[in-house]
Amino acid sequence: MSRIVCHIWIALACCQACSAWAGGQARGDSLIWWGQDYGPLPTYAGDAGHVAIAVGAYHSVALNADGIVMAWGENGSGQCDVPDEEGVVAIAAGFYHCLALRSDGSIGVWGDNTRGQRNGPAGGEFTALAAGHWHNLAIRFDGSLVAWGWNEFGQCDVPSGNDFTAVCAGLYHSLALRSDGSLVAWGGNGDGQCDVPSGNDFTAIAAGSLHSLALRSDGSLAAWGRNDYGQCDAPGGNGFVAIAAGAFHSLALKTDGSVVAWGHGDYGQCDVPTTAYVVAIAAGGFRSLAIETERPAIAVVEPIDLDIAEPIDLGVAEPADANAVGVEAVPELPEAVPSAIESAEPADANSPDAVSVVLDVADSDSVGAADANAVEPAPVHVPDAVQPVPVDVNAVELVDANAPDLAVAGAAPPADANAVASVDVVREDPGVDSSAAAATATETPAPKAGKSRAAGLFDGVEFYTGASNGSVRPVYHFTSDTLTPHFYTISKEERDRLIDEHPDIWTYEGIAFYAYPEGGQPDGAIPVYRFWSSLLSTHFYTIDENEKDTYIRDYPDLCTYQGIAWYADRPGGAATERAADE
């Protein structure tokens, strides 16, 4: 019997058991949010105001002027259980985890660690950091980069060099700004999110789930990557000083303290409320967050009467010659002393310098004179990314011709305009003979990774496959460079449809293992449930019935339930014990 690790995890928003939030707006203690509601805003003891903000998938983080961090929202992975410490100078929020940069240059991490995102580097040599969905980036004092966490697409394979000034991270791509004003990106590039524009005039960067933003030195914007919701349709003009990117929406801050939003807005995350004067912005998931203050007053200096003394009659006749240079007697004149002017220089609310002074404390997800996700090397700029959270629950479900679904025998397959002519493929099908199945399963090599993909992380055994029961069937393995890295199906019809109609998308790798079809499972076998996300072009599988029910009930916008993929033996069950003996 073969033991196959089949916890097939994908870059999908695997949410904790929590209810979906509605959209709305609220403000308090200098914070203002709009979009998905994460619960009441936090308050600090004392008078220290907020200086930095960050937004994750379903939680938010704020930093005050005393270096104290607060977090609120969904807390299934402990992402809101902030460590009791002071001296924090910057923050960042990943999907279900948080980062903090301390004043001594060390990094603190808390929350989810399923992809090693809490296994950060030790020491106090860092000046900036950023959080992606399940990976993190940091800049050292010497300007070099370090990354850790999920690396399925090479998003942690940082480029060499010592000239980096800002970093940000998306779902599975990373972006950095060099000191010469140029950009570099690496990781997954299925939507062009790593196709950075040329030039050396960039000053700030931000990364959404599958798109990227940059701010030029002339105050204009650049955007690239996935644009199915218009998240890359950046407004024109040159009056921008900061940027931020959510899952599928984008924000920009203007010199007059106003905010512009565009992209996916079904939760109201693009419905910018009326604000006084915004000094920092952040975006994540389906939410937007900002720090506001009173609009700077312009001091008007009234003219002052200098009370200059009247001329004094010296009693001396004017010289006859206009060119004469002397006067016989010149008494001392009394000094005319104007009153002291105590007023300050007038401030200019629209002055970029004035804005940058206020914004200079923004962080990764918050945006100061840099941007929400970008982090300046100064220990007060921290980037952040936001967690991939798909579409809105009210959106009409998208049908993706390239997304495999559980095939129904006799059903007509969807047509694909981009499909190329099918190629001859050897289709292994040894039948259902129990001895042959068991032997083949034992000898089958491990599934190959997709082209140009780094190896995934081992999450542990979820179930066992391959058994001596006569009802086992082969489970077919596919890989893709553009969709789910690995896809598995027990359906011959679905296998044949992918081979015949989508050879440009799917590569058939053969039989991965053996499992039980629905209706042919022995007592004690467990169902493996299959989900699909058209937004992220990914599948994931789970054996947890509570998890399945939670996704179906609370997150129809996040993924679509496709049914039972197959049945397998649970670790610790009778079949597993037999496998251990063998």
Side-chain angles (χ1 to χ4, degrees), residues 85 90 98-110 117-130 136-140 146 148:
E85 60 180 314
C98 299
L99 302 179
L101 180 63
R102 304 183 184 98
S103 57
D104 64 358
S106 62
I107 296 174
V109 191
W110 64 97
Q117 56 267 56
R118 282 170 48 188
N119 302 334
E125 57 176 334
F126 301 99
T127 62
L129 45 75
N136 303 310
L137 304 171
I139 303 178
R140 296 188 180 95
V146 62
W148 66 99

Side-chain angles (χ1 to χ4, degrees), residues 13-16 531 540 542 546-559:
C14 300
C15 303
Q16 305 293 334
F531 288 83
F540 84 98
T542 180
N546 290 331
E547 187 176 43
K548 178 205 72 171
D549 293 341
T550 298
Y551 294 151
I552 294 173
R553 180 184 65 248
D554 296 336
Y555 301 101
D557 59 325
L558 182 120
C559 51

Side-chain angles (χ1 to χ4, degrees), residues 267-292:
Y267 287 90
Q269 62 266 45
C270 292
D271 299 336
V272 182
T274 302
T275 60
Y277 188 86
V278 171
V279 296
I281 53 176
F286 297 140
R287 190 181 220 212
S288 302
L289 187 64
I291 300 176
E292 67 171 346

